[in-house]
Amino acid sequence: MQNQTLFAFKALDPANPSGSPAPKPVVQLRAFTRRFSNNTVLDSIDLEIGEGEFVALLGRSGSGKTTILRTLAGLDTVSEGEVKLPSARAVVFQEPRLLPWKRVWNNVLLGLEPKALGGAKAARTLAQKALSEVGLDHRADAWPSTLSGGEAQRAALARALVREPKLLLLDEPFASLDALTRIKMHALVASLWQAHKPAVLMVTHDVDEAIALADRVLILAEGKLIVERRVDLPRKRQPGQPGFAALRRYFLEQLGVEAEDETQQHAVAKEIILGS
Amino acid sequence: MSATIKPVNFRIPVWAQRFATTVALLLAWEAASKAGLIPARILAAPSAVAGTFWDMLASGELESNLLVSLGRVLTGLSIAIVTGSSLALIAGLSRTGEMAVDAPMQMLRTMPFLALVPLFILWFGIGETPKIALIALGGTFPIYLNLFSGIRAVDKKLVEAGNCFGLNNAALIKHVILPGALPSFLVGLRYALGISWLSLVVAEQVNATAGIGYLINNARDYMRTDIIVVCLLIYSVLGLTTDFIVRTLERFALAWRPSFINVT
């Protein structure tokens, strides 16, 4: 019954309008295993992310999700298994990680050579454009320490997107923001993703966030991918829409969360939606 | 009939309150000198000191010797900055460098470097070299220690972010590590400046033929306490001035810090 409702909306899914199998993969992990001394953090992971696909990775803390993200970011060494990554990658971390001694627009251009962008003026224009996309062009000349949490995270998004990545990695990017700002950020990320169409891997522990944004949700537990599920709800998803609650219940169950917690979470989510 | 007591309208401004004691002491000193309680060969009167200061300025004696002293400090400090920074970069940026550099530096810094004066005289004679060497040595340690710990204290997460966004090692050092360590470097620079003036005083006691210390030694031979006091005041003004310069430098170089953003 529930599944029927989910599939009914499939044709409207902009990420996969034809309903065809996943597009050509940008990321490929084959039997990828990561050990720290005797501790196996990731155990024989197989993962593909298609071009322009938005994948959310759920897991409790300590499940190894950060290790996957670090591997995809190229920050970790690969010793066991096969990892194929695009060279154009960008990361938005949980903390904005802006360099405090560079003004916001200079942070956006970090690591980009002005010469390669067509000179200092063109570089500045590019930064300005990226910042206006995230609604932050008026703060281009500000020092990062004067930004609010949400603004800083938007600057980090601009810094990631300005290099037109094939793969965008989001490491719990909204975890430290307040609930209202987080909802605004979800809408922003959704629209930026539609505009630029990078493949996205978002690590999160927020089930609603995963359902709201992802084409496909994975759950990682004790180093293994235990769940893989497409989310075929129409976009501009909201916790109140049909199918959302069922998915949330399913994912929470897989994460081992009691029903009591779930209703509580539902109530919180509802309150937030009504409040905004 | 109102019972409230009106506050007194006349108020002494805060700056005047701050200087009141100093002025009182100066007046007492002047009075004691005039009354013959403090003989001029023990301590000259403030008015005599002021007069002497003016004479020394007018004759150009003060300026020319000041330049010599300033030259020594600047040369010694430049050597200290170059040596201290180079060693800190070697030790801060690589583990091997730390092994090679940090242990001997930590051992050397515990030595009171002013005690090296006799050795320096034996090595370098009594010309300019031992004076500059002493200033350079004294300044090297604070620069090294502060910059080294500053480099090591740079947020690893920022370095990682820099790596992610394609910075190579040189670019990481330029855009992330050095700017991150700059506040510590400037703290080191302020310490080094303070130590430089101290080293200068000691160095100029050794057979100087020019400089503020030379003026002091000469004045001692002629029991000219007025000249000695003028020179002591010059030393303290020099210290204050250079400290002010570094603080101004900080304001520009560290404009991104929250503590400076509200000021400018």
Side-chain angles (χ1 to χ4, degrees), chain A residues 4 11 26 68 85 93 99 155-156 160 177 182-183 191 198 234-235 272:
Chain A
Q4 275 175 354
V26 187
I68 289 196
L85 299 173
F93 299 95
L99 298 180
L177 302 178
R182 202 179 312 151
I183 286 183
S191 74
R235 287 282 168 180
I272 290 164

Side-chain angles (χ1 to χ4, degrees), chain B:
Chain B
M1 278 298 216
S2 167
T4 50
I5 301 164
K6 275 196 172 176
V8 185
N9 276 334
F10 175 72
R11 297 206 109 196
I12 305 166
V14 178
W15 63 267
Q17 292 176 32
R18 283 179 68 90
F19 286 109
T21 342
T22 318
V23 172
L25 279 172
L26 279 173
L27 288 176
W29 174 7
E30 181 72 33
S33 297
K34 283 270 154 24
L37 290 173
I38 307 175
R41 65 181 172 83
I42 301 293
L43 195 58
S47 55
V49 171
T52 305
F53 172 69
W54 186 248
D55 291 345
M56 288 168 80
L57 261 188
S59 69
E61 191 187 11
L62 192 61
E63 293 93 319
S64 60
N65 285 291
L66 186 61
L67 274 179
V68 172
S69 289
L70 269 177
R72 285 176 185 146
V73 165
L74 284 180
T75 316
L77 196 67
S78 309
I79 297 172
I81 291 173
V82 172
T83 325
S85 305
S86 313
L87 290 172
L89 285 173
I90 294 168
L93 297 175
S94 82
R95 290 284 158 195
T96 331
E98 185 184 355
M99 297 294 173
V101 174
D102 195 52
M105 285 301 279
Q106 298 290 346
M107 272 186 264
L108 282 175
R109 89 185 167 94
T110 58
M111 190 163 38
F113 71 98
L114 292 175
L116 288 176
V117 170
L119 211 50
F120 274 22
I121 292 173
L122 288 178
W123 291 347
F124 305 121
I126 50 172
E128 284 301 289
T129 319
K131 297 180 180 62
I132 288 167
L134 197 69
I135 294 167
L137 183 73
T140 300
F141 293 105
I143 300 263
Y144 167 81
L145 291 170
N146 283 283
L147 184 55
F148 173 62
S149 76
I151 289 173
R152 282 299 161 90
V154 168
D155 190 350
K156 296 287 170 293
K157 290 181 166 176
L158 292 182
V159 177
E160 201 176 81
N163 263 324
C164 267
F165 289 109
L167 298 187
N168 58 22
N169 279 344
L172 263 184
I173 292 172
K174 182 180 159 201
H175 292 291
V176 183
I177 295 173
L178 289 186
L182 185 62
S184 306
F185 170 79
L186 287 171
V187 171
L189 183 61
R190 267 166 88 172
Y191 277 116
L193 268 168
I195 290 177
S196 295
W197 294 119
L198 198 68
S199 321
L200 179 77
V201 174
V202 175
E204 288 189 337
Q205 306 289 319
V206 182
N207 191 52
T209 52
I212 303 292
Y214 160 76
L215 289 180
I216 292 183
N217 276 352
N218 246 3
R220 182 197 59 206
D221 293 345
Y222 296 103
M223 287 192 282
R224 289 287 302 272
T225 52
D226 51 343
I227 295 181
I228 294 179
V229 173
V230 168
C231 292
L232 293 180
L233 289 175
I234 294 293
Y235 274 138
S236 73
V237 168
L238 283 174
L240 284 174
T241 313
T242 45
D243 207 56
F244 173 75
I245 292 172
V246 179
R247 268 194 278 180
T248 313
L249 205 66
E250 277 182 352
R251 190 161 304 209
F252 284 101
L254 308 181
W256 49 270
R257 288 194 140 190
S259 53
F260 284 117
I261 287 169
N262 292 335
V263 177
T264 47

Side-chain angles (χ1 to χ4, degrees), chain A residues 2 8 20 42 44 53 62 74-76 83 104 144 162 204 212 254 263 276:
Chain A
Q2 201 60 59
S20 60
L42 293 173
S44 191
E53 190 188 13
L75 289 170
D76 204 0
V83 175
V104 169
V162 77
T204 179
Q254 297 299 317
T263 42
S276 68

Side-chain angles (χ1 to χ4, degrees), chain A residues 89-254:
Chain A
R89 302 181 302 256
V91 188
V92 176
F93 299 95
Q94 187 174 342
E95 331 78 23
R97 299 202 192 178
L98 302 171
L99 298 180
W101 41 85
K102 285 186 186 289
R103 292 186 191 270
V104 169
W105 70 273
N106 260 322
N107 261 293
V108 169
L109 295 177
L110 181 69
L112 301 175
E113 278 296 323
K115 267 185 214 152
L117 301 173
K121 225 177 180 177
R124 170 82 208 228
T125 314
L126 184 69
Q128 206 71 42
K129 196 174 137 256
L131 283 169
S132 70
E133 265 194 286
V134 299
L136 212 60
D137 44 337
H138 62 296
R139 303 288 276 150
D141 283 312
W143 296 113
S145 60
T146 63
L147 300 183
S148 70
E151 285 176 331
Q153 215 45 309
R154 278 189 277 158
L157 260 175
R159 177 174 64 179
L161 286 170
V162 77
R163 44 211 90 212
E164 293 292 343
K166 277 274 180 212
L167 173 64
L168 175 64
L169 299 160
L170 306 173
D171 183 8
E172 302 191 21
F174 317 122
S176 53
L177 302 178
D178 65 88
L180 288 177
T181 313
R182 202 179 312 151
I183 286 183
K184 284 186 189 153
M185 290 295 280
H186 289 166
L188 178 65
V189 164
S191 74
L192 288 172
W193 170 66
Q194 303 276 16
H196 294 263
K197 275 294 173 188
V200 180
L201 179 84
M202 177 177 71
V203 162
T204 179
H205 52 239
D206 181 342
V207 173
D208 284 7
E209 184 169 285
I211 302 171
L213 291 170
D215 294 322
R216 187 153 58 104
V217 175
L218 309 171
I219 295 184
L220 190 68
E222 287 166 7
K224 290 187 187 220
L225 286 174
I226 56 162
V227 171
E228 174 179 1
R229 175 113 177 214
R230 293 202 67 78
V231 179
D232 288 323
L233 303 178
R235 287 282 168 180
K236 300 229 163 158
R237 295 168 186 163
Q238 293 199 343
Q241 85 191 85
F244 199 109
L247 269 177
R248 180 202 288 124
R249 199 176 312 126
Y250 172 71
F251 288 134
L252 285 172
E253 257 169 37
Q254 297 299 317

